[in-house]
Amino acid sequence: MLLYGRNPVLEALQDGRVSEVLVARGVEEAFVAQLKATGVRLKFAPRIELDQLAGTTQHQGVLAEVEDLEWASVDDILDLAEKRGEELLIVLLDGITDPRNFGAIIRSAEVLGAHGVVVEERRSAPLSPVVAKTAAGATSYLPVAQTKNLPRLMDALKKDGVWVYGAAGEAAQDLRKVDFSGKVALVIGAEGEGMRRLVREKCDALVSIPVRGRVQSLNASVAAGILLFEASRGRA
């Protein structure tokens, strides 16, 4: 997989997953020095060559070939919470197919202390270079798992004492008044469509983010970040 973007490439270098980095000519010396300090081989090329290889101009002047990102397992997420000695905080995504939203949610989840993100196999964007770049390196630290059946996973989590909250704009319960202590799963639905009916029904509670403007809905990744912040604040 061709990985691009400075943070994702630097994180991959720290993990030892990169043997050579392609750098655009004209990139500032401070960043080049940062790359050289890792001991990796550098190859310099015109920026247009990186544009063509990455299929975008948003590569920030650096590109590396690494092994494809691998899916974790749900058990990896549970193990991470246990290893940290923390109550589980997990994000369940129902139909997030935009790779930038997917990557932004992974980034927020890692930054705000969640233990992992889970998607349903047939209803998600793949783990792609766009996801990795948008996640800004978070894919190196946060387990991202797939499940064949999200409602079934929700049932299993609930049997293990996890309280499942679904984000719904029309919900009467204000997320600011929710007690997020204990084991928590946050469910984020697809852009426009929201959660599927069965997923909604499996939630223990539906919560909403209060809005004041004329636009009555938030981007899925923004909503996920707000929910994660409130959940982490309530667990501090």
Side-chain angles (χ1 to χ4, degrees):
M1 182 178 75
L2 289 175
L3 189 65
Y4 55 85
R6 297 188 181 188
N7 282 337
V9 169
L10 288 171
E11 296 294 348
L13 284 167
Q14 290 181 8
D15 290 346
R17 297 188 290 129
V18 180
S19 58
E20 184 177 86
V21 173
L22 187 63
V23 183
R25 293 196 182 103
V27 166
E28 60 270 26
E29 283 301 320
F31 180 64
V32 173
Q34 194 174 1
L35 291 172
K36 287 180 177 178
T38 68
V40 70
R41 293 196 306 272
L42 301 183
K43 179 181 176 182
F44 293 88
R47 183 171 289 269
I48 191 171
E49 183 175 333
L50 276 74
D51 295 346
Q52 294 167 345
L53 288 170
T56 176
T57 59
Q58 304 302 310
H59 46 69
Q60 299 179 310
V62 61
L63 188 149
E65 186 169 359
V66 300
E67 294 180 3
D68 289 345
L69 293 172
E70 294 185 1
W71 294 100
S73 68
V74 175
D75 284 341
D76 291 329
I77 297 172
L78 303 180
D79 290 345
L80 179 59
E82 184 176 352
K83 180 180 177 181
R84 290 183 185 172
E86 299 170 348
E87 296 280 25
L88 179 69
L89 177 57
I90 187 171
V91 181
L92 310 179
L93 303 182
D94 183 32
I96 299 297
T97 56
D98 183 282
R100 289 176 177 80
N101 273 339
F102 188 19
I105 291 170
I106 294 170
R107 181 176 184 173
S108 294
E110 200 285 325
V111 168
L112 292 168
H115 302 104
V117 173
V118 183
V119 301
E120 197 171 78
E121 285 184 8
R122 293 174 295 176
R123 292 177 53 82
S124 171
L127 279 177
S128 65
V130 176
V131 172
K133 181 181 183 298
T134 311
T139 50
S140 296
Y141 304 111
L142 189 77
V144 181
Q146 286 182 319
T147 183
K148 291 185 181 296
N149 189 299
L150 189 61
R152 193 177 302 156
L153 173 63
M154 293 167 71
D155 282 337
L157 291 170
K158 288 162 70 172
K159 286 179 182 178
D160 194 36
V162 179
W163 197 264
V164 181
Y165 295 95
E170 77 283 0
Q173 188 168 9
D174 186 329
L175 86 161
R176 295 173 299 181
K177 299 177 181 178
V178 174
D179 179 5
F180 285 109
S181 60
K183 298 179 181 179
V184 169
L186 302 175
V187 187
I188 307 296
E191 290 278 5
E193 302 172 5
M195 294 176 286
R196 289 171 291 166
R197 179 186 58 80
L198 183 56
V199 171
R200 289 172 66 96
E201 292 174 353
K202 295 289 184 182
C203 293
D204 292 304
L206 299 179
V207 299
S208 63
I209 299 169
V211 294
R212 297 181 180 179
R214 294 189 179 184
V215 177
Q216 293 297 300
S217 63
L218 290 164
N219 171 280
S221 62
V222 173
I226 293 171
L227 261 70
L228 280 159
F229 173 75
E230 284 294 329
S232 62
R233 191 165 67 95
R235 298 154 64 89

